[in-house]
Amino acid sequence: METTLEMKSNQLVMTSSLQRQKWCANQFLYKFQNFWFPLTYLEATQKVLENFKPVPKDVILASFPKTGTTWLKALLHSIINRSPKQDYNNNPLISNHPHDLIPSLETNLYDYNTKKTEFLSVKNHKDVRILATHIPHQILGDVLNSSECKVVYVTRNPKDTLISLWHFVQKSKSFGDDPWELEVAVDQFCNGIVLFGSYYDHVLGYRQECLKRPQKVLFVTYEEIKENPEYYVRKIGEFLGCPFEGENGDVEIEEIVKFCSFENLSNQEMNKSSELSSMFPLPYNSFFRKGEVGDHMNYLDDEMIEKIDGVTREKFHGTGFVYGI
Ligand code: A3P
């Protein structure tokens, strides 16, 4: 279906005719540069592209939704802001939800409210801004490459990502009583019609950039961090130029892993809160569900699994990225 988006005069004018598809909860997604966006994120993405200028010390956490963004926000904050005598009882992650502490470009900083835009000119005490984004590399690449900033990309296997997303969107206030049938969700996911999708193209865009510029982009997976969090905390520290050294480094890594674990973070009052978060019409606790690898097996039947695996084989394995099955 073709439609023309009419923007108000004080917003960015988009003259192109964009393809539109119904997604879930009576929401529409719009196709922009081969990816699908809800209208609000599309407008925000346009603003990011027009206005965001990364500086060399910026650390950008990029991800497709539901692949471990919240966890990585906590890990990056802890790795970058650690101090020799860290007092974890006073850690900002105790009193702040990770999403309030580390803003996302399109959902916090360049959304229609732009209420937190001042963050962009504020530097924390380590002189590093940690910013997150779901915008695909195919769209944001030129902006990211306009400075020496570092990018950490996290991904997760497609079936757990979809199940996590399926649970998440149904917690939305805007969902109403329109059910998002899992069968429909699987088909949409396989066809790439999902917010910031296609998932596969999103992952491949950042992966290719990591292969091209390994000093600039670090590509990690949810499953490998789960398997060996200490190794990845060390690796992220090295990648960001703040390596863990000596015995003290080993202790710091252990503390960060424990502090950022699902068990610990999901039990903090702020993260348990059913209050609506400041950036989405969703409760704070909706970002912490189960935090496990393989939960899709509790929801997807054999036919759904075969359908997703088929696309994974074609999209990932077919391009030499053996992941996701
Ligand atoms: P589940 O729905 O499978 O439980 P995102 O942060 O990108 O929105 O991803 C959310 C997923 O990460 C959810 O997965 C959530 O439970 C999980 N998660 C959140 N914090 C985590 C943590 N500290 N460790 C591991 N997983 C975490």
Side-chain angles (χ1 to χ4, degrees):
M1 181 192 218
E2 294 290 320
T3 188
T4 303
L5 295 181
E6 299 291 341
M7 303 278 174
K8 294 186 191 105
S9 56
N10 62 345
Q11 292 174 317
L12 289 171
V13 177
M14 192 176 319
T15 52
S16 53
S17 179
L18 298 179
Q19 209 183 331
R20 187 174 88 141
Q21 280 275 355
K22 184 172 178 293
W23 188 44
C24 61
N26 284 324
Q27 295 209 9
F28 282 91
L29 296 178
Y30 295 85
K31 199 172 190 183
F32 173 66
Q33 296 191 17
N34 281 325
F35 285 87
W36 291 96
F37 294 82
L39 191 52
T40 49
Y41 292 160
L42 180 54
E43 290 169 8
T45 297
Q46 294 269 350
K47 286 194 195 172
V48 172
L49 297 177
E50 297 262 319
N51 300 297
F52 176 55
K53 307 265 178 288
V55 296
K57 281 193 168 181
D58 283 348
V59 173
I60 313 287
L61 167 63
S63 61
F64 184 82
K66 312 321 291 172
T67 57
T69 318
T70 315
W71 189 15
L72 266 289
K73 280 189 177 186
L75 284 171
L76 288 177
H77 188 273
S78 304
I79 292 168
I80 290 168
N81 292 300
R82 71 187 190 269
S83 59
K85 288 209 169 81
Q86 186 78 56
D87 176 5
Y88 277 96
N89 294 322
N90 284 323
N91 191 299
L93 283 160
I94 300 264
S95 46
N96 297 278
H97 192 280
H99 287 284
D100 280 344
L101 208 54
I102 295 171
S104 298
L105 292 175
E106 65 283 356
T107 50
N108 301 96
L109 296 173
Y110 291 100
D111 62 353
Y112 44 89
N113 298 314
T114 55
K115 53 186 180 293
K116 290 192 189 159
T117 307
E118 70 271 18
F119 181 90
L120 291 167
S121 57
V122 176
K123 291 172 182 167
N124 69 27
H125 71 283
K126 292 274 172 154
D127 214 17
V128 175
R129 302 185 301 185
I130 311 169
L131 303 163
T133 187
H134 290 319
I135 303 175
H137 194 273
Q138 289 87 336
I139 296 177
L140 195 61
D142 287 348
V143 172
L144 296 175
N145 288 335
S146 67
S147 108
E148 298 291 302
C149 67
K150 297 264 188 183
V151 179
V152 175
Y153 184 78
V154 62
T155 193
R156 187 179 193 184
N157 80 73
K159 289 169 286 191
D160 285 348
T161 301
L162 170 63
I163 289 305
S164 183
L165 182 68
W166 182 68
H167 282 284
F168 183 73
V169 298
Q170 292 185 82
K171 290 191 181 139
S172 166
K173 202 166 66 119
S174 53
F175 204 86
D177 47 15
D178 180 15
W180 192 27
E181 301 294 347
L182 189 51
E183 243 180 348
V184 173
V186 168
D187 278 344
Q188 290 174 330
F189 188 84
C190 287
N191 292 329
I193 300 163
V194 57
L195 81 171
F196 297 102
S198 114
Y199 154 89
Y200 293 97
D201 292 340
H202 200 290
V203 175
L204 289 172
Y206 279 97
R207 181 167 183 270
Q208 270 153 22
E209 192 62 13
C210 164
L211 295 175
K212 203 160 138 197
R213 294 189 172 87
Q215 306 304 325
K216 183 173 180 78
V217 181
L218 180 67
F219 184 96
V220 290
T221 72
Y222 185 95
E223 296 79 21
E224 56 192 12
I225 307 176
K226 267 276 183 192
E227 177 90 23
N228 194 349
E230 290 79 10
Y231 173 84
Y232 284 95
V233 167
R234 184 181 294 284
K235 189 168 174 162
I236 293 170
E238 271 162 26
F239 172 75
L240 296 177
C242 50
F244 293 87
E245 277 155 359
E247 271 181 33
N248 196 40
D250 296 342
V251 175
E252 285 178 332
I253 289 176
E254 234 175 83
E255 286 175 347
I256 289 174
V257 167
K258 207 165 142 201
F259 182 74
C260 295
S261 68
F262 183 83
E263 293 66 33
N264 184 53
L265 286 186
S266 62
N267 278 309
Q268 300 304 325
E269 286 310 315
M270 192 67 201
N271 301 336
K272 282 200 286 192
S273 162
S274 52
E275 206 183 298
L276 286 192
S277 77
S278 58
M279 60 286 172
F280 304 107
L282 283 148
Y284 278 113
N285 60 19
S286 56
F287 293 90
F288 295 89
R289 191 182 62 91
K290 253 188 180 172
E292 288 173 5
V293 174
D295 189 41
H296 68 267
M297 288 185 280
N298 297 316
Y299 296 92
L300 299 173
D301 63 24
D302 289 350
E303 203 181 312
M304 293 168 176
I305 290 178
E306 194 34 56
K307 205 175 255 180
I308 300 174
D309 285 353
V311 182
T312 305
R313 262 183 228 107
E314 182 198 327
K315 289 280 205 172
F316 281 174
H317 299 202
T319 56
F321 180 38
V322 183
Y323 176 69
I325 296 183

